[in-house]
């Protein structure tokens, strides 16, 4: 996250970006100073400048105005306008998202009231809170007061990821991750596409970390084509650009939806010319295009899209969650002397080297039901990541442990040996 942020600052500070290429800043030109902004807001500014303002005004007010206008349009005649749909609790991970959401609050207050937690007034960045903590520990952040069935979400520190969650009446925690966000959004978009009756193609892009139930639901129930890329949003973003409408989300809640130029032009034309029903659907799609950050995954923009969809469809957080049931899963880390000894293929789902490791994983996976496991070297930490899913949490935990042990033994593990079982 921070590396991305620094890289973008560097681009704004020392170089200009012209049509996707970078070049040295011409002498005498002053780089704009936007003060403190979220990572996706910075990407928005760059996108605006690179399109000479066609994408939007390259100011923080321009961002708030563009998003809030689309959000208000989408929610104003919504079927459901009860209080349940109007309020949302947001854990801001003690990060920049808190400052920016506060600034934006009054632009969207007509459609949504947000209550902020972990807003940075005390507490440390991402410490026991934020999207990454909630997703990896599968529990609520500290500092959030949650009542049963209340809709809550967490941003990460630089506000480019978002996950939703709630507590049921028995106090059980339910996580709604990037996969379920992608599912909600795709089903909404598919319905609108049916209404406008145009054959625009839609594709969903995931990584190997996507829960098996989400992939099955998208392919088998929703009949949407799903593609798997390597981990890291740059891979998902590029793949999503191949479709008229490309929906991409990492399971950790980082993602957005991209619309091709041709799709945007078609939708804009239908919003002007077609008959009543089609025109309404096309207008809605026009606002959806404006509400999604086309430059990068954006927690604020994604939150507004999700809130607009839930309101329009009259869906509660529990109904959304019930679209499918996640397979129990576990992620572990293994320390090895050199993580580069592990090379992978098939979008990181199969190990090529060291020899014998993939066979060992295959043998372990066969001993569990509804199981899947893979390992890959992290691109951001000096570790190997292990992922496993199975029919029960106990089995997912036990498979993840057994695979960790195989990695430790076959790929030069260091330190304490992982124990089988959990
Ligand atoms: C399993 C997982 O969540 N991996 C994250 C993490 O990458 P690793 O290469 O797994 O360390 O950080 C990336 C950058 O934030 C993010 O894009 C990715 O999804």
């Amino acid at each position: 996250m921070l590396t991305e942020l620094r890289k973008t600052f560097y681009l704004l500070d020392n170089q200009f970006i012209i049509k996707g290429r970078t070049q040295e800043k011409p002498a005498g030109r002053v780089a704009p100073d936007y003060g403190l902004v979220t990572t996706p807001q910075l990407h928005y500014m760059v996108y605006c400048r690179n399109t000479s303002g066609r994408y939007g005004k390259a100011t923080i007010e321009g961002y708030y105005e563009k998003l809030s206008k689309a959000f208000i349009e989408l929610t104003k005649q919504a079927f459901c306008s009860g209080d349940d749909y109007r309020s949302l609790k947001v854990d801001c991970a003690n990060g920049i998202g808190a400052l920016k959401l506060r600034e934006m609050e009054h632009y969207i207050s007509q459609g949504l009231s947000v209550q902020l937690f972990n807003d940075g007034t005390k507490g440390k960045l991402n410490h026991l809170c934020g999207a990454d903590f909630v997703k990896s520990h599968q529990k609520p952040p500290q500092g959030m007061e949650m009542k049963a069935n209340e809709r809550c979400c967490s941003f990460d520190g630089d506000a480019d990821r978002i996950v939703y969650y709630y507590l049921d009446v028995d106090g059980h925690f339910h996580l709604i991750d990037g996969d379920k966000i992608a599912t909600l959004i795709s089903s909404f978009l598919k319905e609108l596409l049916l209404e406008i009756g145009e054959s625009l193609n839609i594709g969903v892009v995931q990584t190997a970390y996507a829960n098996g139930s989400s992939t099955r639901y998208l392919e088998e129930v929703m009949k949407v084509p799903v593609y798997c890329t390597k981990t890291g949003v740059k891979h998902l973003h590029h793949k999503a650009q191949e479709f008229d409408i490309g929906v991409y989300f990492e399971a950790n809640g980082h993602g957005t939806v991209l619309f091709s130029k041709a799709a945007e032009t078609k939708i804009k034309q239908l919003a002007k010319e077609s008959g009543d029903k089609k025109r309404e659907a096309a207008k809605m799609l026009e606002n959806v295009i404006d509400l999604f950050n086309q430059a990068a995954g954006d927690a604020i923009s994604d939150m507004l899209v999700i809130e607009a969809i839930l309101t329009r469809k009259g869906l509660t957080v529990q109904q959304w969650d019930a679209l499918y049931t996640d397979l129990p899963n576990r992620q572990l880390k293994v320390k090895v002397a050199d993580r580069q000894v592990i090379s992978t293929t098939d979008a990181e789902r199969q190990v090529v080297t060291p020899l014998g490791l993939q066979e060992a994983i295959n043998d372990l996976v066969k001993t569990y039901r509804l199981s899947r496991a893979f390992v890959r070297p992290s691109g951001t930490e000096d570790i190997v990541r292990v992922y496993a899913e199975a029919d029960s949490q106990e089995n997912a935990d036990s498979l993840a442990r057994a695979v960790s042990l195989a990695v430790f033994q076959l790929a030069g593990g260091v330190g304490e040996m992982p124990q089988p079982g959990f």
Side-chain angles (χ1 to χ4, degrees):
M1 271 175 318
L2 275 177
T3 332
E4 278 168 41
L5 199 59
R6 263 187 235 117
K7 205 161 54 190
T8 324
F9 272 131
Y10 175 79
L11 285 172
L12 281 175
D13 205 26
N14 295 315
Q15 299 181 298
F16 280 94
I17 308 168
I18 296 172
K19 291 193 180 127
R21 286 177 293 114
T22 57
Q23 67 174 46
E24 289 303 311
K25 183 171 77 171
R29 296 282 290 271
V30 179
D33 179 359
Y34 292 111
L36 291 174
V37 291
T38 69
T39 303
Q41 284 174 336
L42 204 51
H43 283 284
Y44 164 90
M45 306 296 181
V46 174
Y47 205 102
C48 290
R49 292 180 73 91
N50 284 349
T51 54
S52 311
R54 280 188 304 281
Y55 182 63
K57 246 196 284 167
T59 60
I60 195 73
E61 291 77 25
Y63 172 94
Y64 294 144
E65 280 160 13
K66 178 171 178 173
L67 267 63
S68 59
K69 182 168 172 284
F71 176 71
I72 299 299
E73 282 296 319
L74 276 169
T75 48
K76 73 178 180 201
Q77 288 151 354
F79 161 70
C80 271
S81 52
D83 276 354
D84 278 0
Y85 292 95
R86 283 183 36 88
S87 72
L88 173 69
K89 291 187 165 173
V90 188
D91 153 33
C92 296
N94 293 315
I96 182 68
L99 294 176
K100 300 292 116 176
L101 199 50
R102 276 254 143 80
E103 273 175 18
M104 192 178 192
E105 236 177 318
H106 73 275
Y107 288 87
I108 54 169
S109 57
Q110 205 180 317
L112 180 70
S113 106
V114 285
Q115 204 181 337
L116 308 194
F117 296 86
N118 300 319
D119 65 355
T121 44
K122 42 186 196 302
K124 288 193 214 138
L125 182 70
N126 291 328
H127 182 62
L128 304 175
C129 60
D132 198 43
F133 172 86
V134 173
K135 165 77 180 156
S136 50
H137 292 81
Q138 310 205 3
K139 65 179 189 190
Q142 268 192 9
M144 169 89 98
E145 297 147 26
M146 289 172 72
K147 294 201 197 94
N149 292 334
E150 267 180 348
R151 211 166 63 252
C152 305
C153 68
S154 284
F155 292 0
D156 68 337
D158 63 345
D160 61 7
R161 298 187 198 180
I162 183 167
V163 293
Y164 270 68
Y165 45 91
Y166 68 97
L167 289 179
D168 64 24
V169 282
D170 299 321
H172 293 135
F173 176 78
H174 294 254
L175 174 73
I176 302 182
D177 64 4
D179 303 333
K180 225 166 236 179
I181 293 175
T183 309
L184 177 80
I185 292 169
S186 317
S187 79
F188 183 68
L189 291 173
K190 232 193 137 188
E191 278 167 30
L192 289 179
L193 286 182
L194 265 179
E195 282 182 41
I196 62 167
E198 289 293 323
S199 57
L200 295 174
N201 68 38
I202 178 166
V204 177
V205 188
Q206 303 185 316
T207 71
Y209 290 99
N211 195 277
S213 295
S214 74
T215 316
R216 201 169 311 121
Y217 183 84
L218 284 160
E219 287 181 331
E220 292 172 16
V221 181
M222 284 184 50
K223 311 275 182 223
V224 176
V226 179
Y227 301 83
C228 184
T229 69
K230 287 184 184 176
T231 300
V233 276
K234 65 173 189 264
H235 300 292
L236 291 102
H237 193 95
H238 286 153
K239 185 71 195 170
Q241 284 172 323
E242 292 176 15
F243 307 96
D244 289 322
I245 302 180
V247 179
Y248 78 83
F249 269 89
E250 291 192 302
N252 61 30
H254 194 177
T256 188
V257 177
L258 304 181
F259 294 81
S260 70
K261 265 278 144 274
E264 193 178 336
T265 310
K266 184 92 228 158
I267 289 163
K268 288 214 158 110
Q269 185 194 337
L270 289 171
K272 278 198 217 107
E273 295 167 3
S274 51
D276 279 1
K277 197 153 181 275
K278 263 193 185 185
R279 192 171 57 230
E280 274 319 298
K283 275 189 180 164
M284 225 185 292
L285 275 170
E286 246 188 325
N287 285 313
V288 172
I289 297 175
D290 281 347
L291 193 46
F292 271 116
N293 190 330
Q294 300 286 290
D298 181 338
I300 293 181
S301 140
D302 291 340
M303 175 190 84
L304 294 175
V305 172
I306 293 163
E307 291 300 309
I309 297 176
L310 293 179
T311 310
R312 288 211 70 90
K313 289 174 74 96
L315 276 180
T316 63
V317 70
Q318 297 83 352
Q319 288 167 324
W320 173 21
D321 186 33
L323 284 179
Y324 61 82
T325 307
D326 275 323
L327 278 170
N329 58 88
R330 177 66 62 195
Q331 257 195 65
L332 294 176
K333 301 175 183 183
V334 182
K335 192 121 190 61
V336 295
D338 173 13
R339 71 191 198 277
Q340 302 310 336
V341 299
I342 297 196
S343 62
T344 61
T345 184
D346 187 24
E348 301 175 319
R349 290 173 292 191
Q350 297 280 323
V351 169
V352 177
T353 59
L355 292 179
L357 181 53
Q358 187 57 50
E359 287 71 22
I361 296 172
N362 293 346
D363 289 344
L364 289 167
V365 167
K366 271 189 220 143
T367 60
Y368 295 87
R369 283 192 64 243
L370 301 177
S371 54
R372 183 169 74 92
F374 67 91
V375 306
R376 53 175 281 279
S378 161
T380 60
E381 286 179 62
D382 190 17
I383 45 133
V384 175
R385 289 196 202 281
V386 171
Y387 177 90
E389 60 186 34
D391 59 342
S392 69
Q393 191 60 55
E394 203 188 359
N395 286 342
D397 290 348
S398 152
L399 177 57
R401 278 283 169 192
V403 172
S404 301
L405 190 59
V407 170
F408 190 91
Q409 287 168 336
L410 297 169
V414 292
E416 211 178 303
M417 192 186 299
Q419 300 300 309
F422 206 77

